[in-house]
Amino acid sequence: MAGEESAGDGALARLLARRILIDGPLSVGAFMAEALGHPRFGYYMRRDPFGSGGDFTTAPEISQMFGELVGLWCVDSWARLGGPGPFHLVELGPGRGTLMADALRAAAVLPLFRDNATVHLVETSPALRERQRQALQPILGDAIQWHDRLEDVPDGPTILIANEFFDALPIRQVQKTNHGWFERLVDLEPDNSGSDPRFRFVLEAFGSSGSRLVPDALRDAPEGSVVEVSPASQAVARTIGARLAAAPGAALAIDYGHAHGPAVGDTLQALRRHAFAPVLAAPGEADLTAHVDFAAIAAAAKEGGARSFGPVEQGEWLTRLGIRQRAAALAAKARPDQARDIGSALDRLIDPAQMGRLFKLVALATPGAFADAPPAGF
Ligand code: SAH
């Protein structure tokens, strides 16, 4: 971006290098948190990373059908929770605001839903807040509230959605050695010049965090194994669980990851211009994500007081909610070239070889809610 120093000139790398020189190696989680969320140079903070000109594309950016079906899920869940009544419609990490815009359009099927909803967007990036304002102002006017953290959303009945939010929260990694579990850290390469620092993975010296972080179920994994845990994701899930325990509500988390984790393996990845990039090479300039551990999210939400449903694969869930019928209806009104685009978007979202299997959903809800049948699609 014009004018001042930007992440593109390695400013964040130099800043992290100075911090490592002073304080010692960073946890993978601290490196990831700074690379994505540093107030000046973090990846999300100043840019719009989505779409064909960006680094990656998410489901709502592939097709309006995705947000529409999520919107219908919200309407159905709200009605079944004993609406009508005022409630908070919360989205975590709304990106360009596309999902919320499509969801609200589809939610027009039940005007009472829109009339009772107050929209809250939990977003740390000023650049993306601006994009969200542009997408949602035509629908909501000025009645949009932004927050830095879920904790800042007022108490009350809640419908919450989060698409590709948890995969952007920091993970920590531990590795089994012949002396036990050690946390993986990010250090400087020994021959560093200072102006163009390079980073490498090392193991902590004593294994104290490693043995504390490793889940009991994986303690006996073979030597060399890497295990990932995301205390940050678990904290958010616990907060969601506590909200849903305190007032009626439901939440839908959609992401890529393991259904029955925590799995063994290093899944930290960097994406730049739609291609994989080395994870430590350019902090702030590439998207960094890791597989989401859905079992850990569900367990943390339960600790908070909620119940959980799923995970179910995205292809399955969208099919159960009627995406094929919606695609056919849209295609019937479209030009032949647009109809082809609708068909390929449908494939991308539901085909098991594309997003259909890797992406999954969990629903969280107030205990006692959905007693007759699970939330739609679960
Ligand atoms: N849901 C959108 C965007 C996914 S990308 C979509 O599906 O297209 C991740 C989003 O989460 C971005 O909007 C990013 O700025 C936001 N984000 C990342 N870390 C966050 C945090 N700790 N708190 C709030 N928002 C965060």
Side-chain angles (χ1 to χ4, degrees):
M1 288 182 202
E4 54 182 308
E5 202 176 23
S6 76
D9 49 33
L12 184 58
R14 287 194 298 278
L15 210 131
L16 293 177
R18 277 201 296 277
R19 197 166 135 191
I20 291 171
L21 277 174
I22 295 167
D23 291 336
L26 298 169
S27 72
V28 171
F31 183 87
M32 197 174 167
E34 295 290 353
L36 295 178
H38 183 277
R40 277 187 70 198
F41 306 122
Y43 176 75
Y44 282 115
M45 298 315 269
R46 296 177 50 178
R47 75 181 86 209
D48 171 359
F50 308 103
S52 52
D55 296 310
F56 60 98
T57 303
T58 58
E61 302 300 332
I62 291 172
S63 166
Q64 68 186 73
M65 298 185 286
F66 186 83
E68 290 170 348
L69 293 174
V70 170
L72 294 178
W73 185 91
C74 293
V75 171
D76 179 66
S77 297
W78 180 69
R80 289 174 57 197
L81 280 161
F87 70 103
H88 302 301
L89 180 57
V90 183
E91 183 172 2
L92 308 182
R96 286 179 166 176
T98 311
L99 172 54
M100 183 58 85
D102 291 334
L104 288 170
R105 260 194 308 99
V109 294
L110 187 63
L112 269 177
F113 177 91
R114 283 273 296 272
D115 296 347
N116 279 289
T118 309
V119 172
H120 298 270
L121 305 178
V122 177
E123 174 60 69
T124 39
S125 160
L128 289 172
R129 283 187 180 196
E130 179 53 26
R131 284 299 300 242
Q132 293 154 18
R133 195 183 59 73
Q134 288 166 14
L136 293 169
Q137 211 167 35
I139 307 173
L140 294 168
D142 289 327
I144 312 167
Q145 298 184 34
W146 278 274
H147 309 275
D148 283 329
R149 303 166 341 132
L150 176 58
E151 284 82 348
D152 301 333
V153 177
D155 293 338
T158 298
I159 300 288
L160 178 146
I161 53 182
N163 186 61
E164 292 211 46
F165 172 75
F166 285 101
D167 69 4
L169 296 186
I171 55 150
R172 294 173 74 172
Q173 294 184 326
V174 293
Q175 190 169 348
K176 178 85 168 276
T177 72
N178 58 352
H179 299 296
W181 289 94
F182 285 68
E183 180 162 17
R184 281 182 104 191
L185 305 174
V186 179
D187 199 356
L188 287 168
E189 288 281 10
D191 57 342
N192 250 289
S193 69
S195 65
D196 181 21
R198 281 169 298 113
F199 302 94
R200 61 170 179 159
F201 288 107
V202 297
L203 292 180
E204 64 171 330
F206 298 111
S208 51
S209 331
S211 59
R212 188 164 38 78
L213 284 168
V214 66
D216 285 340
L218 293 173
R219 226 164 250 288
D220 295 330
E223 207 179 304
S225 304
V226 173
V227 169
E228 297 176 339
V229 287
S230 179
S233 296
Q234 290 172 25
V236 173
R238 217 172 289 119
T239 304
I240 296 174
R243 271 192 88 81
L244 301 178
L252 189 62
I254 312 160
D255 234 303
Y256 80 107
H258 337 280
H260 306 292
V264 173
D266 173 3
T267 73
L268 187 62
Q269 66 177 37
L271 272 183
R272 203 171 175 186
R273 309 240 159 258
H274 300 265
F276 291 110
V279 291
L280 302 181
E285 292 168 54
D287 187 36
L288 276 186
T289 62
H291 275 44
V292 168
D293 176 353
F294 285 96
I297 300 260
K302 279 186 201 159
E303 268 170 44
R307 62 188 295 214
S308 77
F309 301 88
V312 50
E313 291 175 2
Q314 176 172 297
E316 185 71 39
W317 187 83
L318 288 171
T319 303
R320 290 181 187 158
L321 266 85
I323 195 168
R324 288 180 188 283
Q325 292 81 341
R326 181 67 183 133
L330 286 173
K333 288 183 289 185
R335 295 193 316 261
D337 58 322
Q338 293 169 325
R340 264 195 308 279
D341 289 347
I342 294 166
S344 56
L346 174 68
D347 284 346
R348 248 178 112 177
L349 292 172
I350 69 173
D351 180 352
Q354 300 191 59
M355 294 177 81
R357 178 160 295 153
L358 180 60
F359 280 75
K360 299 174 183 72
L361 299 92
V362 283
L364 308 169
T366 300
F370 302 98
D372 52 339
F378 284 86

